[in-house]
Amino acid sequence: MKTLLDTLGLEAVNPGTWLGSESSEDESAGVIDSTSPTDDRRIAGVRASTAAEYERIVEEAETAFAEWRRIPAPVRGEAVRRIGYALRDHKDALGSLVSLEMGKIKAEGDGEVQEMIDICDFAVGQSRMLYGRTMHSERPQHRMYEQWHPLGLVGIITAFNFPVAVWAWNATLAAICGNVNIWKPSPKVPLCAVAVQKIVNEALADSDLPAFNYLFNDPDNDLASRFVDDPRINLVSFTGSCAVGRQVGARVSERMGKSLLELGGNNAIIVDEYANLDLVIPAVVFGAIGTAGQRCTTTRRLIVHRSRFEDVKNGLVHAYGQIRIGDPLDADTLMGPVIDQAAIERVEAAIETVKSAGGEILCGGERIDGPGNFMTPAIAVAENDWDIVQTETFGPLLYLIRYDSLDEAIDMQNAVAQGLSSAIFTDKLQHAERFLAAAGSDCGIANVNIGTSGAEIGGAFGGEKETGGGRESGSDAWKAYMRRQTNTINWGSDLPLAQGISFDL
């Protein structure tokens, strides 16, 4: 472990407040201990930020923004390109730290860093494509066009389950758009954030550019609450639960700020009578147990045509019996621990509720004796309209639900409050297109013959309904980090007014 920390420039106790490459050394707020969910051992500490340090961050970020927005966008893109190459150099070490501190298996930890690299590449290209449209005016000798300008300060609040990638999705696009980023990571994974800050600082050490990435660590919710309410933070991007996201959205809206919310997902896969089960079983297993069921895109509900139900059920139970649970840094491990004991307790409570409602637990749901936060992944036969099924349980619990007609399956898929990711497995074209049509899936992501957990960098990531409606990462997500301005230019010698109105003075 020490070798890993040394590789990333981490020490036994690390500064948690960063103003670009400069750290603050105030120790009065105490230390946030980072512990591994694998064995509950302390990894290292991160100094918590004080209110005074937070104030200094915002003040200096405002000053930096005044300069950063003047840097040409392609030059800003070059800075992000350098970050991408630094991440390539540190991919193995940072991926291992993600596994150590958060608990996802090594392949997923490396994959998360790869997502950071990919979005850096995307952002570099996007820095030369911050396009506005030219529009025709009804007035003669007039030209209209739109421009996109930086917002200012972008606040990024990230969750424990994706301790580095979600920051990158936001920060790289916000940066090439001319904004300055302030990051508040989850107190469950503070080391990952410090490691990323150090990698960014290393990449930009000789760039002679203003600082555009700031970091503070909050051990409770005091500074986070101040952050959300701060009118100087032009956009708050929040990733987390629907319950907290609802509060964040309301409070930012109350001060007329902008928010980008990426919240929960009670995601479903429909398996119809024409589905290829050779595709279904591995997609569902990865979707349900990857990251120990702690992804917003985790497969939570499997809606199966009655004619295929027994085959799917038996295939999944057999596959779950082969899942190797253990140290996430072991290459043979397929599922690591959940984040803490509270996560285990939530899954156990959900299982008891399912049993009380008359559901059947096919397998899993047991704690594994020993250190760490390990449990076996569970499968339950349930009904879609049960309250517990309508609620997202953030852990490795999958519900199997029968259906008879495709319309019924789509109605079930849509009949939850969240609307993030969805999928159908079918070899029938009409069913695939019906699922993707306006009256089909109501989610922000809808897939055919691929599971709910895949997120492509080229597509803007996010969902509808209680998922928050925000969009991060690809496509035209860059517009969320900018303000639109419409311009009209009169290049004639007359002054025709709008709506055909004119008058003489």
Side-chain angles (χ1 to χ4, degrees), residues 269 271 302-306 308-309 312 400-403:
I269 292 177
V271 179
L302 190 62
I303 303 170
V304 185
H305 191 270
R306 192 173 298 273
R308 312 299 297 278
F309 191 85
V312 170
L400 264 61
I401 303 162
R402 297 178 179 87
Y403 81 89

Side-chain angles (χ1 to χ4, degrees), residues 159-371:
F160 76 87
N161 59 330
F162 276 83
V164 295
V166 172
W167 170 83
W169 289 358
N170 286 276
T172 56
L173 290 182
I176 61 104
C177 289
N179 303 296
V180 169
N181 301 301
I182 303 176
W183 184 12
K184 207 297 288 186
S186 166
K188 296 179 180 180
V189 284
L191 275 182
C192 284
V194 174
V196 169
Q197 185 72 37
K198 284 177 169 283
I199 291 170
V200 171
N201 294 342
E202 174 189 316
L204 303 177
D206 61 351
S207 65
D208 198 29
L209 293 170
F212 58 90
N213 287 292
Y214 293 72
L215 172 69
F216 73 94
N217 277 274
D218 189 8
D220 45 40
N221 292 322
D222 289 345
L223 291 183
S225 181
R226 182 172 177 175
F227 195 37
V228 167
D229 292 334
D230 195 330
R232 296 168 296 180
I233 309 302
N234 302 87
L235 169 70
V236 174
S237 176
F238 173 82
T239 302
S241 71
C242 294
V244 177
R246 190 179 293 111
Q247 298 175 35
V248 170
R251 289 167 61 175
V252 174
S253 177
E254 186 175 349
R255 64 174 175 82
M256 302 301 287
K258 295 182 68 175
S259 61
L260 194 164
L261 304 175
E262 201 286 284
L263 310 175
N266 196 346
N267 313 295
I269 292 177
I270 296 172
V271 179
D272 76 359
E273 59 269 46
Y274 305 100
N276 180 347
L277 298 191
D278 289 339
L279 299 179
V280 169
I281 301 302
V284 173
V285 171
F286 175 72
I289 66 98
T291 321
Q294 300 170 118
R295 283 193 303 254
C296 55
T297 55
T298 291
T299 303
R300 311 250 174 233
R301 297 175 294 141
L302 190 62
I303 303 170
V304 185
H305 191 270
R306 192 173 298 273
S307 67
R308 312 299 297 278
F309 191 85
E310 290 301 317
D311 288 341
V312 170
K313 181 183 76 172
N314 293 336
L316 285 175
V317 170
H318 175 75
Y320 269 48
Q322 313 304 308
I323 293 170
R324 296 179 297 278
I325 303 168
D327 182 352
L329 287 169
D330 186 331
D332 291 330
T333 297
L334 293 180
M335 190 180 107
V338 294
I339 191 65
D340 53 26
Q341 287 295 308
I344 293 179
E345 291 168 4
R346 283 191 292 270
V347 176
E348 288 176 332
I351 288 173
E352 290 304 312
T353 303
V354 170
K355 291 178 180 177
S356 298
E360 178 188 2
I361 306 302
L362 299 176
C363 64
E366 300 94 4
R367 292 179 182 236
I368 297 177
D369 291 336

Side-chain angles (χ1 to χ4, degrees), residues 11-32:
E11 302 174 351
V13 178
N14 303 272
T17 305
W18 289 83
L19 304 94
S21 59
E22 178 188 352
S23 65
S24 179
E25 302 296 332
D26 191 333
E27 300 179 13
S28 61
V31 173
I32 304 170

